[in-house]
Amino acid sequence: MVKIDAKIPEGPLADKWKNYKNNQKLVNPANKRKLDIIVVGTGLAGASAAASFGEMGFNVKTFTIQDSPRRAHSIAAQGGINAAKNYPNDGDSIYRLFYDTVKGGDYRAREANVHRLAEVSNSIIDQCVAQGVPFAREYGGLLDNRSFGGAQVSRTFYAKGQTGQQLLLGAYQALMRQVNEGNVELHTRNEMVEIVMVDGKARGIISRNLVTGKLERHFAHAVVLATGGYGNTFFLSTNAMGSNGSAAMKAYKKGAMFANPCFAQIHPTCIPVHGEFQSKLTLMSESLRNDGRIWVPKKKEDAEAIRAGKLKPTEIAEEDRDYYLERRYPAFGNLVPRDVASRAAKERCDAGFGVGTTGLAVYLDFKSAIDRLGRDAIEARYGNLFQMYEKIVDDNPYETPMMIYPAIHYTMGGIWVDYELQTSVPGLFAAGEANFSDHGANRLGASALMQGLADGYFVLPYTIQNYLADDIATPRMTTEEKEFEEAENAAKGRFEKLMSINGEKSVDSLHKELGLVMWDFVGMARNKEGLQEAIEKIQAIKKEFWSNVRIPGSTGGMNVELEKASRLADFIEIGELMARDALHREESCGGHFREEYQTEEGEALRQDDKFAYSGCWAYKGEDQEPELNKEELTFDVVKLVQRNYK
């Protein structure tokens, strides 16, 4: 077992980040020009990091699988970004944001990282306003705020229902300014397929040009992975279809530990599955829970009539509606955290009160808000979301309630990083959703954008400099060294092995099989027997994949099926790792719900005496069981208690 050092600074919690910055090592401007940094990924974390490094004077290369950095999946975020500005004067503070985040994550996050996130949150808003991000404003011109789950204050800044897009455009502008200045070299349609290690340190990557199929070598003194999460392990998720966990798996197999892989978030407000040929799911922003009320019929016969098409939701009398979140959680109502809202929806549907043709849906109703505020006010807040829903479902949400159901959305687990966002591989850093650091077992809404920009704009520019200060005498490599050649040959051999299988099953059919196993056994509710069965089934899918997958085309030139196959091979391994982690963690916390461990009221029951740690898995070789290492979590400020949103 590895002894884990998170490198948390000394001093009181509120002073740790200040103490770190006061004592970190620096690199002078002349030496920065001698140092190269690779950033993989151009979402909020990657674009902001690359722009910041370029502005500081480092030489930067950045890589994206998209044809433009603007198409990174960060663009899909809808509802908003949290910050402790306290503009509404409703009692918010840095401590309150810190506390809500730790509590929302069910006390499975590192205090020091979360407090730093809360500290820099306000600077993010200032930065984005300076970039021209068009945040919503009140009548008097001040920035507006809305509420999100797990908080009793309004701290979420937003740009209608397209906050991620506007924030990404701001980061993109900053990035492209540095590209134009010559400080950042942008590689589009390029996928990292291998990490190059030299003398135990990350010293570059091998990338594959997705248009030509050519493998390319790139040196750097440090590598940053900002490649998002692994939610597409489930096949159906709210993630873009190109989102993948392959970069994380490449890091894992080079020695970077994978922390808490079983912590996956189920988002409660998604458009329900509507057929077996569906390739992804669509998110309906959590911001809708500000004004929308969630309900199901009180009477089973009404739910059955709706499912049979004999009754419309608008025909259900008010007294026959069960606003179950308001009933069960009066203090937070419809704005409970995502894991709580998702399990509550599942419980109602499992009990026979679900609606829609499948019975796997609940209603999100805006009638009360429209009656109170008027249609124009609701349209101003959520118009683009309502339009999107109507285009997909062919129902007018102004007149009839939306139907929603939980779906895989975000992964709190990821590459283990220390306080400096450095992995267990020296010189390899991870930022944004790619790392595990800030959200524990459940992320609060509007905190993903906050973390991505915090890591890129306000954390990595300090911590990576601290690392590179010892590298100013390290000369650039030519990429002709044997380590680069070996890494390229390994990547080439993997693609040739995939192409040589020439089996009968398509990549998508095998991915769907994996997704069904994950959803049925490693989804919203888990148990020991099911997780053991999941591991067996995933191993069988792995065997079938490597013996019977069919990939048309060749390794030369563009081959989308080869890309998908390579990523699916990694998803299969991530799926098994998730199941193993869920099996070992014999407690319920946040998005990880073990049916054996719940309170009498059906809430998550933690076992703090046994599992108050981050489970950090180390790769031990092909077909070998990974090794579990533990980073013990200490809580010096927040008191460990059972979460209560009632």
Side-chain angles (χ1 to χ4, degrees):
M1 186 176 290
V2 177
K3 181 175 174 56
I4 296 175
D5 179 11
K7 299 181 185 173
I8 298 171
E10 297 295 325
L13 183 65
D15 294 335
K16 288 183 184 296
W17 182 229
K18 180 175 67 176
N19 290 344
Y20 178 89
K21 291 190 291 183
N22 287 343
N23 293 284
Q24 68 161 109
K25 289 177 281 190
L26 300 174
V27 180
N28 78 14
N31 285 329
K32 284 174 184 167
R33 293 192 290 272
K34 302 175 184 175
L35 296 170
D36 301 342
I37 303 173
I38 283 175
V39 180
V40 185
T42 59
L44 288 181
S48 59
S52 299
F53 298 152
E55 190 78 47
M56 294 166 71
F58 292 106
N59 299 294
V60 185
K61 288 184 179 181
T62 188
F63 295 79
T64 176
I65 62 174
Q66 309 291 353
D67 50 10
S68 166
R70 291 174 298 180
R71 299 197 65 179
H73 188 57
S74 298
I75 203 168
Q78 298 170 354
I81 178 171
N82 288 330
K85 286 284 195 182
N86 193 33
Y87 284 167
N89 197 29
D90 55 1
D92 202 8
S93 64
I94 288 172
Y95 177 82
R96 178 71 65 177
L97 174 54
F98 154 73
Y99 173 79
D100 286 347
T101 305
V102 172
K103 177 184 176 184
D106 219 349
Y107 305 93
R108 291 294 177 263
R110 194 189 286 151
E111 272 192 339
N113 287 59
V114 179
H115 197 278
R116 176 177 63 190
L117 176 64
E119 284 181 67
V120 305
S121 66
N122 293 337
S123 298
I124 297 170
I125 303 302
D126 297 338
Q127 169 89 352
C128 294
V129 169
Q131 290 173 336
V133 172
F135 286 122
R137 292 179 181 268
E138 296 176 334
Y139 179 76
L142 297 176
L143 296 182
D144 195 15
N145 288 110
R146 56 170 49 145
S147 298
F148 259 61
Q152 291 179 305
V153 297
S154 296
R155 63 163 67 103
T156 305
F157 296 79
Y158 64 98
K160 209 168 186 179
Q162 49 185 243
T163 314
Q165 179 182 9
Q166 299 304 327
L167 292 173
L168 185 59
L169 287 173
Y172 168 75
Q173 290 167 184
L175 171 63
M176 294 310 293
R177 176 176 178 272
Q178 293 305 312
V179 172
N180 188 59
E181 292 287 328
N183 299 326
V184 176
E185 188 178 294
L186 174 62
H187 296 261
T188 58
R189 303 295 288 145
N190 251 273
E191 182 167 20
M192 186 200 84
V193 293
E194 201 62 70
I195 296 169
V196 180
M197 302 288 294
V198 179
D199 296 330
K201 294 182 178 182
R203 289 300 192 194
I205 67 169
I206 305 298
S207 72
R208 180 173 182 268
N209 186 308
L210 298 180
V211 177
T212 66
K214 181 183 177 183
L215 296 176
E216 301 169 356
R217 305 176 185 182
H218 301 276
F219 164 78
H221 293 88
V223 177
V224 177
L225 301 183
T227 49
Y230 48 92
N232 275 347
T233 304
F234 289 76
F235 186 69
L236 286 180
S237 81
T238 65
N239 291 181
M241 291 177 65
S243 298
N244 63 84
S246 291
M249 286 306 290
K250 300 296 183 289
Y252 171 66
K253 291 188 174 181
K254 290 295 185 181
M257 291 184 290
F258 207 120
N260 300 332
C262 77
F263 288 170
Q265 179 164 87
I266 316 285
H267 198 295
T269 54
C270 301
I271 296 177
V273 175
H274 63 253
E276 61 182 73
F277 298 109
Q278 200 166 349
S279 57
K280 77 175 297 296
L281 298 173
T282 303
L283 173 72
M284 286 285 101
S285 170
E286 182 167 322
S287 63
L288 295 171
R289 289 198 272 149
N290 274 266
D291 292 305
R293 301 177 70 195
I294 296 174
W295 64 275
V296 292
K298 283 183 179 178
K299 301 174 183 176
K300 275 191 181 180
E301 54 266 33
D302 286 346
E304 291 165 357
I306 288 173
R307 292 198 291 270
K310 299 176 181 177
L311 192 64
K312 296 179 180 178
T314 51
E315 296 171 341
I316 303 289
E318 186 70 19
E319 60 270 20
D320 292 329
R321 300 180 177 192
D322 178 16
Y323 296 94
Y324 57 88
L325 290 178
E326 298 173 25
R327 168 173 56 82
R328 290 180 60 178
Y329 308 100
F332 283 75
N334 293 294
L335 287 171
V336 292
R338 292 172 175 177
D339 61 314
V340 176
S342 294
R343 282 195 294 273
K346 182 179 187 298
E347 185 275 328
R348 287 291 79 196
C349 292
D350 288 351
F353 295 94
V355 297
T357 55
T358 63
L360 295 177
V362 299
Y363 289 125
L364 179 61
D365 198 333
F366 292 87
K367 184 178 184 305
S368 296
I370 291 171
D371 289 345
R372 185 178 76 253
L373 302 169
R375 173 171 169 153
D376 289 348
I378 297 302
E379 189 170 357
R381 293 178 183 179
Y382 314 115
N384 64 314
L385 299 173
F386 278 42
Q387 182 185 49
M388 183 167 65
Y389 179 87
E390 186 170 5
K391 283 187 175 182
I392 294 171
V393 180
D394 195 24
D395 241 345
N396 184 346
Y398 294 103
E399 297 172 1
T400 189
M402 287 184 179
M403 284 194 297
I404 56 167
Y405 194 69
I408 288 290
H409 176 59
Y410 184 92
T411 49
M412 287 74 64
I415 305 169
W416 180 89
V417 292
D418 59 22
Y419 189 76
E420 298 183 308
L421 304 187
Q422 187 168 203
T423 72
S424 42
V425 172
L428 181 64
F429 294 76
E433 190 180 356
N435 74 35
F436 90 113
S437 68
D438 293 342
H439 307 295
N442 176 67
R443 178 176 66 76
L444 292 184
S447 288
L449 306 186
M450 175 174 63
Q451 186 210 346
L453 292 179
D455 288 354
Y457 282 137
F458 299 107
V459 178
L460 277 172
Y462 293 96
T463 62
I464 205 165
Q465 194 173 187
N466 189 60
Y467 170 78
L468 290 173
D470 294 331
D471 247 357
I472 58 175
T474 302
R476 292 188 175 99
M477 295 182 177
T478 65
T479 72
E480 296 300 320
E481 293 80 2
K482 65 179 179 62
E483 290 88 351
F484 282 87
E485 183 179 356
E486 290 168 357
E488 181 180 333
N489 288 338
K492 182 180 179 182
R494 176 182 163 97
F495 288 119
E496 289 175 347
K497 182 180 179 182
L498 285 167
M499 292 303 302
S500 70
I501 297 169
N502 201 27
E504 299 294 329
K505 285 196 170 183
S506 70
V507 176
D508 281 352
S509 67
L510 288 165
H511 199 168
K512 284 181 182 178
E513 286 183 36
L514 174 66
L516 285 172
V517 171
M518 295 300 296
W519 184 251
D520 290 343
F521 300 107
V522 201
M524 268 195 283
R526 305 158 175 179
N527 58 60
K528 182 178 180 180
E529 293 74 22
L531 291 165
Q532 290 172 334
E533 185 175 346
I535 292 170
E536 293 176 5
K537 286 179 177 290
I538 293 168
Q539 289 173 341
I541 292 171
K542 181 178 181 180
K543 185 176 180 181
E544 176 78 357
F545 173 86
W546 284 105
S547 62
N548 200 26
V549 72
R550 179 171 180 79
I551 307 168
S554 67
T555 57
M558 182 179 288
N559 190 335
V560 175
E561 288 300 304
L562 178 59
E563 294 170 35
K564 286 159 55 177
S566 178
R567 294 166 191 168
L568 177 55
D570 293 321
F571 280 137
I572 292 169
E573 297 197 42
I574 292 171
E576 183 175 346
L577 195 59
M578 290 178 72
R580 286 189 184 279
D581 189 42
L583 181 62
H584 110 273
R585 190 171 281 276
E586 295 180 339
E587 66 165 353
S588 292
C589 57
H592 169 63
F593 190 76
R594 284 285 294 267
E595 293 173 334
E596 308 97 318
Y597 304 97
Q598 54 184 301
T599 66
E600 292 181 359
E601 297 175 318
E603 305 292 347
L605 182 63
R606 296 195 321 271
Q607 303 238 57
D608 294 332
D609 57 329
K610 299 178 181 177
F611 294 98
Y613 61 76
S614 295
C616 309
W617 297 87
Y619 181 70
K620 303 307 288 184
E622 190 68 27
D623 296 323
Q624 301 294 312
E625 287 194 16
E627 176 186 75
L628 174 64
N629 302 282
K630 301 176 182 178
E631 182 197 341
E632 300 294 337
L633 298 173
T634 57
F635 294 89
D636 300 322
V637 176
V638 174
K639 183 180 179 182
L640 280 171
V641 294
Q642 187 69 29
R643 282 193 310 176
N644 183 359
Y645 291 100
K646 297 184 178 182

